[in-house]
């Protein structure tokens, strides 16, 4: 009796698919931090009833302000980032508040961020701690000759090897 012909060899393409999906994931995550900031800026609503003054508040779990901040705390790093972004209009300075583990680049901050904000825009940050490395941030922009805009964000941070804090990612918050 004849033997049936051998079954054709089937190559397992799962490793190739997994590698392609992983590469796509890395590419997506690479731009997610800056894109998240830009998208968060796009998911905005007019900030009705907000005054242009930004009264400084510092209490456990909550910080409000527009000052230069400090990389000594997570909320301070957010303040430093936004101060550099809006007041100093410096992507280089804002990038100093970005964690080495982030995929944000200085060029992305400049092109997709600082250059898109109208000159003369002021801001106010309210950061509330959800966990030691996750803040819920209400960022209010006050563009010249336009209504204020409220931007709700989730900002993930990491402690750097030197003990300072840096932003890992910025995503829209509901």
């Amino acid at each position: 009796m004849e033997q049936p012909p051998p079954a054709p060899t089937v190559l397992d393409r799962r490793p190739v698919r997994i590698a392609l999906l992983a590469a796509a994931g890395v590419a997506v995550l690479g731009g997610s931090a800056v894109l998240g900031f830009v998208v968060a800026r796009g998911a905005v609503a007019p900030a009705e009833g907000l005054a242009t003054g930004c009264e400084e508040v510092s209490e456990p779990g909550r910080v409000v302000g527009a000052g230069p901040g400090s990389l000594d705390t997570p909320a301070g790093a957010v303040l430093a980032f936004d101060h550099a972004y809006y007041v100093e209009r410096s992507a280089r300075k804002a990038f100093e508040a970005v964690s080495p583990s982030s995929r944000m680049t200085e060029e992305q901050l400049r092109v997709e961020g600082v250059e898109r904000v109208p000159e003369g825009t002021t801001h106010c940050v309210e950061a509330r701690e959800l966990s030691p490395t996750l803040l819920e941030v209400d960022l209010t922009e006050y563009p010249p000759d336009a209504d204020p805009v409220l931007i709700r964000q989730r900002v993930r941070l990491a402690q750097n090897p030197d003990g300072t804090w840096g932003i890992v990612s910025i995503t829209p918050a509901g």
Side-chain angles (χ1 to χ4, degrees), residues 82-99:
D82 286 330
H83 187 270
Y85 193 91
Y86 290 97
V87 177
E88 298 177 53
R89 298 189 56 80
S90 170
R92 182 192 57 76
K93 189 77 171 161
F95 193 68
E96 292 175 8
V98 172
S99 170

Side-chain angles (χ1 to χ4, degrees), residues 66-84:
S70 161
L71 301 183
D72 295 334
T73 65
V78 171
L79 287 171
F81 179 88
D82 286 330
H83 187 270

